[in-house]
Amino acid sequence: MQAAAAVAAWAAWLGWDQHRDVHPDGSETGPYAAWQVIGLGLTLLALTYWAASRGHSTAAVLGTTTGLTAAASYDWSDDASGLYMIGVSLLTLTTLTTTTALTLALTTSRRRPPPPEGTDPPPNALTSARATTEPPPTPSRAQWPSARAGIYEASA
């Protein structure tokens, strides 16, 4: 679903504009305007956020990257220079890096709700490890004579 959404976003933002603009000095720009690419990026960020915030981290990263790579590869494959694969590869790496960073940020910043009042928090590795490595309590002054007596009885 995430891959299909990425392909649809590509088609909506970039798929309809296929002509290059020729300027009076003979230079060419395009086929995409900056606002189209920014719109596509913001749409993909929103789709990635939506999927990752619902616990679909793998789909958020791989689905978005796969869909965008497929759309760009199809759209750019008619390039006469044959260099379109470099652009597709760079787009794939950038999308993979960005979606991974966003998904990691979302999943690590997600906070758990506090436990209900009057309940003990669940044990974690830190408290469990501390409980097993603490030394036994030392006897109090009142227990000293009996502790010494036990030593003397054992040696006699």
Side-chain angles (χ1 to χ4, degrees):
M1 178 172 140
Q2 193 73 10
V7 170
W10 179 282
W13 285 102
L14 305 179
W16 53 271
D17 189 5
Q18 298 297 319
H19 72 279
R20 295 192 175 272
D21 297 325
V22 179
H23 298 284
D25 63 353
S27 64
E28 292 182 358
T29 59
Y32 315 119
W35 64 269
Q36 291 173 290
V37 177
I38 292 169
L40 174 64
L42 292 175
T43 303
L44 292 174
L45 284 175
L47 289 171
T48 303
Y49 176 83
W50 182 84
S53 65
R54 282 158 178 72
H56 305 292
S57 299
T58 304
V61 174
L62 297 180
T64 303
T65 303
T66 301
L68 200 61
T69 300
S73 182
Y74 176 77
D75 194 18
W76 297 343
S77 64
D78 61 348
D79 180 33
S81 69
L83 296 175
Y84 78 95
M85 281 309 294
I86 293 174
V88 170
S89 298
L90 291 173
L91 179 79
T92 301
L93 290 174
T94 303
T95 306
L96 186 63
T97 304
T98 305
T99 55
T100 301
L102 177 62
T103 302
L104 281 175
L106 286 172
T107 55
T108 57
S109 69
R110 189 179 308 164
R111 296 183 182 198
R112 293 186 180 113
E117 202 168 311
T119 60
D120 290 334
N124 62 24
L126 181 60
T127 58
S128 298
R130 190 178 311 145
T132 59
T133 60
E134 288 182 3
T138 57
S140 67
R141 280 190 178 252
Q143 296 172 332
W144 282 3
S146 62
R148 277 188 280 169
I151 294 173
Y152 291 130
E153 289 171 4
S155 63

